[in-house]
Amino acid sequence: MRCLENGIFAKTTVKPLSSVFDLSNEKKVVSMLVNAGEWFTVSGLRRTGKTTLVRSVANSFNVIPIYVNLWDIPAENISLDSCFELITNSVRKVAENRGLRKVLKIVDKISFFGVSIDIKVRSQISLTDAFRELCSKGRVVLIIDEVQELLRYSGAFKYLAALHDELAPSLSVVFLGSIASLRNVLERPESGPLYGRLSEEIVLKPFDEITSRRLLKAGFEECNVSIDDEIIEEASLRLGGFAGWLTHFGRICVLQHLRGEKIRLEKVLQHLEKEVILTIYGEIARALTERKKVTSYLRVLRYAAEMGEVSVSAASKLLGKAPSTAITYLKHLVNRGLLKKDNESYRIADPLVRRAVLRSEFEKEVKVRIV
Ligand SMILES: Nc1ncnc2c1ncn2[C@@H]1O[C@H](COP(=O)(O)OP(=O)(O)OP(=O)(O)O)[C@@H](O)[C@H]1O
Ligand SMILES: [Mg+2]
């Protein structure tokens, strides 16, 4: 069905711009920044549509997009070398698709695994050569997704800063991250090389309730599925305005309709929860990887889910730690998009994450996924 292939409810993160619902201002800004060869960040909670916005805009005009998703590297294998290797592979793929033989020849010589430091340094230089060669063919946009995974490696940012100085504005780099503000983090001392090289930050937020309803209505209309207004209203309330959940909900309804089933809200929500629960546990695990005292983080989340919110003093009492320590825990959870600060209290930002945290298997399922 076409509407599920490239329409509003389609799962893909590269869509025709008309299927990227709302966000007209963000589309304009991304397109303007990319065209100007700027380097910039896009931040926001998970499933607010960061990847879809940037990839869809970059694919809508005449540039060479290169997409690198650091989550393609399993958490246990992530290292500076594996990041460079991933970028190299993405460049290789683009060169293959476009038949760019000169680029392929350069890329073939590059190797980061199991080689001496000298060869790694030479490989970095060759990677820059490959980008330079690509830039001679047209404007290049490198999209680096899940950049929070890279923050530990200052070497990556030094490399990127040098790349900036050599190839911007022919090369534009967009950094995407599911953290509160990527730009704030990228300007910290350990990732300092990019300081002064980044222009504005785009922050995506969940849709408000009215926009969520409009998205669902437009998606169902596109798929020729008529659905009760009540279901649309209730789903807009329950899915917290997250584009990822709204479109996933839409897909399930459309598929049920195609099978001739009657669409029942509770059943669809249960189905959605079942399909996404393990992904959510995996995301929480990844946000807590390399943290000491994982159990304490999980207890704070559990408390916030049960009580609806958690304050600094409540977290401090719960953990038996000083308020300053409790703040460190809360800040990390906010930074990784799991909690949202609301005046003086912290809430779980995403209603489906909250439901996942409330389940009895929560702690066990997260812990088995932490590497
Ligand atoms: N504005 C939109 N219109 C239509 N579909 C959208 C929109 N934004 C996101 N989607 C859909 O929602 C899903 C999640 O979007 P996307 O992966 O871009 O979010 P994200 O913010 O990058 O999430 P994550 O932080 O998990 O990477 C995708 O299936 C995408 O097709
Ligand atoms: Mg994304």
Side-chain angles (χ1 to χ4, degrees), residues 7 24 26 50 52 57 86 100 117 123 146 168 194 207 250 276-277 280 334 338 365:
S24 55
E26 287 82 355
K50 303 173 293 292
T52 307
V57 171
L86 186 66
L100 302 172
I117 302 223
S123 289
E146 309 291 357
L194 283 178
F207 290 128
V276 303
I277 191 98
I280 291 176
V334 169
L338 290 167
E365 290 289 344

Side-chain angles (χ1 to χ4, degrees), residues 31-69:
S31 144
M32 184 266 289
L33 292 172
V34 163
N35 268 314
E38 291 288 337
W39 288 39
F40 62 99
T41 52
V42 180
S43 304
L45 297 175
R46 301 215 79 88
R47 284 169 284 270
T48 45
K50 303 173 293 292
T51 306
T52 307
L53 170 71
V54 176
R55 293 192 80 188
S56 303
V57 171
N59 277 273
S60 73
F61 51 86
N62 192 17
V63 293
I64 305 173
I66 305 174
Y67 178 66
V68 178
N69 185 356

Side-chain angles (χ1 to χ4, degrees), residues 298-349:
L298 298 182
R299 283 177 69 200
V300 172
L301 282 176
R302 184 69 175 232
Y303 183 96
E306 280 170 356
M307 308 306 286
E309 60 180 38
V310 57
S311 63
V312 174
S313 64
S316 152
K317 225 190 265 166
L318 180 74
L319 302 175
K321 302 265 184 214
S324 57
T325 311
I327 289 177
T328 319
Y329 284 77
L330 292 167
K331 272 195 173 159
H332 179 74
L333 293 170
V334 169
N335 198 23
R336 300 305 291 247
L338 290 167
L339 290 183
K340 192 173 67 177
K341 192 168 179 217
D342 227 354
N343 294 320
E344 287 316 304
S345 63
Y346 297 76
R347 295 166 188 276
I348 294 193

